[in-house]
Amino acid sequence: MLDTIANKQNDNNLDVFIKAVIYTADHINKFDRFTTLENLETYLTSINQNANVLTLDLFPDDVSISHVPTIKNTSKLFSTKISFKVTPQTEAIQSVLKKYNNKEVFIVLQKNETQHLYGTSKEPLLLTYSELHNTAHGKIKGYNVSISGKTIEEVRYINIGDFNIIERLLSSPLSGGL
């Protein structure tokens, strides 16, 4: 079988992550690698106000992702580490990050044409953050966010629309104009 991949590159389709949606695993229907794509998309688009969901616009050249497979006892295990920066360094942003710090989460990262799910509600990843104090003039000051863990789940490509969960969660602390 002959397979061909034609790379697309133009100003309208840069292959970078532009948005992240982070879900705490405890308020979402339990799903794992066996959950159908249709059911998974239903779970993620029917979020209610009890769920903790954080949406972030990302600096496209600042996202670091490592999703490395290893074989352990004839099973494939993925070590996942995702990191990015959040600015500015304000009390309001720190307050939101504290709410998610050391929590089990899963994350959807969005590119222009694709959405990538890392982790599941049954095999969540751990979110941590730290302050970023760069003393050099013109360098980023804010927070480093890291999401990491081990899972047997490969990255899943999903399609949950334009993350319209914001409209359903307007009463959340995130609507306070960070």
Side-chain angles (χ1 to χ4, degrees):
M1 173 188 287
L2 178 63
D3 295 308
T4 304
I5 297 174
N7 286 326
K8 286 196 306 188
Q9 184 175 355
N10 59 42
D11 290 340
N12 296 323
N13 186 24
L14 296 176
D15 195 26
V16 296
F17 291 104
I18 56 174
K19 184 175 288 228
V21 180
I22 300 168
Y23 302 81
T24 56
D26 56 351
H27 289 122
I28 304 295
N29 286 344
K30 295 295 183 193
F31 71 91
D32 59 17
R33 63 191 170 123
F34 300 113
T35 304
T36 66
L37 191 56
E38 182 179 275
N39 286 343
L40 176 59
E41 290 172 358
T42 300
Y43 296 157
L44 297 180
T45 56
S46 61
I47 301 297
N48 62 36
Q49 292 186 359
N50 294 330
N52 289 321
V53 180
L54 175 60
T55 62
L56 299 159
D57 290 327
L58 300 172
F59 296 119
D61 52 351
D62 178 55
V63 180
S64 172
I65 300 171
S66 174
H67 190 66
V68 179
T70 57
I71 303 296
K72 185 174 185 176
N73 298 332
T74 69
S75 295
K76 196 181 285 189
L77 183 67
F78 291 89
S79 294
T80 303
K81 181 163 175 133
I82 301 167
S83 62
F84 50 86
K85 293 175 181 56
V86 176
T87 64
Q89 196 175 66
T90 65
E91 184 178 357
I93 290 176
Q94 185 179 32
S95 175
V96 171
L97 290 175
K98 278 183 181 179
K99 185 168 126 179
Y100 292 87
N101 194 38
N102 293 313
K103 299 286 185 199
E104 293 182 327
V105 301
F106 56 94
I107 183 171
V108 176
L109 293 172
Q110 180 181 10
K111 293 183 179 183
N112 285 327
E113 294 182 7
T114 60
Q115 297 168 356
H116 305 237
L117 171 69
Y118 293 92
T120 68
S121 60
K122 287 188 178 178
E123 289 184 297
L125 306 172
L126 183 69
L127 184 144
T128 58
Y129 82 95
S130 61
E131 292 184 10
L132 175 63
H133 296 287
N134 197 323
T135 58
H137 180 68
K139 298 292 182 180
I140 292 179
K141 296 165 185 69
Y143 303 94
N144 282 318
V145 175
S146 177
I147 299 171
S148 60
K150 293 184 188 253
T151 177
I152 56 176
E153 177 73 32
E154 292 189 41
V155 63
R156 290 183 73 175
Y157 296 91
I158 61 172
N159 182 13
I160 57 172
D162 192 23
F163 296 112
N164 60 358
I165 58 172
I166 305 288
E167 295 166 6
R168 292 190 300 274
L169 299 173
L170 284 179
S171 65
S172 77
L174 295 177
S175 65
L178 293 180

